[in-house]
Amino acid sequence: MESPGEFCGNPWEGLRAYRSQLRSSGTAPGPLLPSGLLGLGDTSGGAVVGVSGLIYNSFAQFLVKEKGYDKELLNVTPEDWDFCCKGLALDLEDGNFLKLADNGTVLRASHGTKMMTPAVLAEAYGKKEWKHFLSDTGMACRSGKYYFYDNYFDLPGALLCARVVDYLTKQNNGQKTFDFWKDIVAAIQHNYKMSAFKENCGIYFPEIKRDPGRYLHSCPESVKKWLRQLKNAGKILLLITSSHSDYCRLLCEYILGNDFADLFDIVITNALKPGFFSHLPNQRPFRILENDEEQEALPSLDKPGWYSQGNAVHLYELLKKMTGKPEPKVVYFGDSMHSDIFPARHYSNWETVLILEELRGDEGTRRQRPEESEPLEKKGKYENYLWTTNLQDSLQAIPKQLATIQTLHWPYQVTTY
């Protein structure tokens, strides 16, 4: 096996220059996380802190202490984080991570963290469609046979799984099939079950509560001002998150202030996206909350407020009632193709805006002189990646809605597709 540098550079070129710049300043780049969450950390003592390191450690500590995995999993270098990239598919049986083209063929692959050479890749996958690719509907993100990494919070788990494959392959003399996923699921359940925040289970929630300033950014005043302008202009503001209400409250109070709830007409927690958009009302009713505990299901949504679970159908009926319009327009901001952008557009026909922080890395790459940049045939055609193609299909240019937003001094430049 050749290393990524020997084969074709890092298989996800967009972040490479950005991460290198961060390292040169003594900062360890973890996965880029949504605004408000620190995914970067100090490298002193070899530790990677920040949310990415915390998520990784929450899994790794469980595997080592509860499942008997090698303690080497606890040691992570800044360079190790270069493995993380949205859009990777993990074949749970053979331990391979894949980057797919829009036609389902495999552009690049690694076994664990070890990149496959072109010859090995051709022998393993050839030019045929990957066995789990669903050409008619696109590839779902969760299955018993594979896992698709498309959001920031999953990325530390991708690194951990890749290192687990490395360890098992070495430990068992070239092991070919794997059955570690059940242990990953157990780690997720231990650290992130619904009661974990209240019960101080695991590592993640207790640490966030102990020292939120170490992991969270406060929101710029310009963004809060923009939200107030939108509300004062008569727009209805929604906050929809799959986080539970207690964790959401902690984050938002630190990021937006103790009065954050006043910025939003409707707050929906434990939304369980993408099911929030795809499920029927009787499958996923709204529930009221008392002391962060879910109560009885509601037959409909009749007024603004704070709710749990729910569905886009009942929400849209409430928006009709609040606006007095038969077809109110919704502009939805999200950072996950699977949970936010695709389902909101496909099932609810909402306009969508993707928060894509990797574009910061692209800026560094575009500034390179041509002779410093890798040949296109080594990079692969970026626009043909499955994740990017789905992105272009799902995102819509929304000139009318964005024009309205920008008249209210949206503090950032918006790139449309």
Side-chain angles (χ1 to χ4, degrees), residues 108-124:
R108 300 181 185 173
S110 69
H111 183 69
T113 64
K114 306 300 188 293
M115 292 299 298
M116 293 184 182
T117 64
V120 172
L121 181 68
E123 181 180 353

Side-chain angles (χ1 to χ4, degrees), residues 227-248:
L227 292 174
R228 295 188 192 100
Q229 287 178 321
L230 286 172
K231 195 166 186 181
N232 292 337
K235 306 302 179 185
I236 296 172
L237 270 62
L238 318 171
L239 174 61
I240 306 174
T241 175
S242 292
S243 295
H244 298 301
S245 56
D246 45 14
Y247 179 52
C248 172

Side-chain angles (χ1 to χ4, degrees), residues 127-142:
K127 297 294 184 181
K128 61 181 181 295
E129 188 178 277
W130 184 47
K131 59 186 178 182
H132 297 308
F133 183 75
L134 306 177
S135 57
D136 55 340
T137 60
M139 191 170 62
C141 285
R142 286 162 179 80

Side-chain angles (χ1 to χ4, degrees), residues 178-309:
F178 299 86
D179 189 29
F180 61 85
W181 189 248
K182 63 181 184 300
D183 296 331
I184 300 296
V185 172
I188 294 171
Q189 176 65 14
H190 175 70
N191 283 279
Y192 301 100
K193 60 185 177 181
M194 188 170 183
S195 61
F197 186 93
K198 180 178 292 187
E199 297 173 359
N200 270 339
C201 289
I203 292 174
Y204 182 83
F205 289 128
E207 178 62 15
I208 290 286
K209 288 195 282 186
R210 184 188 69 81
D211 189 7
R214 188 181 186 187
Y215 303 100
L216 307 178
H217 279 303
S218 59
C219 186
E221 186 59 39
S222 59
V223 174
K224 289 186 277 188
K225 180 180 178 181
W226 177 66
L227 292 174
R228 295 188 192 100
Q229 287 178 321
L230 286 172
K231 195 166 186 181
N232 292 337
K235 306 302 179 185
I236 296 172
L237 270 62
L238 318 171
L239 174 61
I240 306 174
T241 175
S242 292
S243 295
H244 298 301
S245 56
D246 45 14
Y247 179 52
C248 172
R249 183 177 291 104
L250 181 144
L251 292 182
C252 289
E253 285 181 352
Y254 189 93
I255 294 169
L256 292 169
N258 291 334
D259 62 346
F260 81 92
D262 295 337
L263 296 172
F264 301 98
D265 299 278
I266 302 169
V267 176
I268 300 169
T269 55
N270 195 26
L272 303 173
K273 298 176 291 182
F276 179 86
F277 298 101
S278 61
H279 282 57
L280 298 174
N282 63 338
Q283 296 174 298
R284 191 72 60 78
F286 280 97
R287 296 180 181 274
I288 59 174
L289 287 162
E290 291 183 8
N291 298 319
D292 294 317
E293 295 287 343
E294 292 182 346
Q295 305 299 313
E296 69 274 10
L298 299 175
S300 63
L301 198 61
D302 298 324
K303 60 183 179 181
W306 191 313
Y307 300 95
S308 187
Q309 297 195 41

Side-chain angles (χ1 to χ4, degrees), residues 49 78 80 102 109-111 125 140 159 215 237 247 261 294 310 331 377-378 392:
V49 296
D80 288 334
D102 56 358
S110 69
H111 183 69
Y125 297 104
L159 175 60
Y215 303 100
L237 270 62
Y247 179 52
E294 292 182 346
V331 181
E377 60 269 18
K378 292 185 73 177
Q392 292 169 338

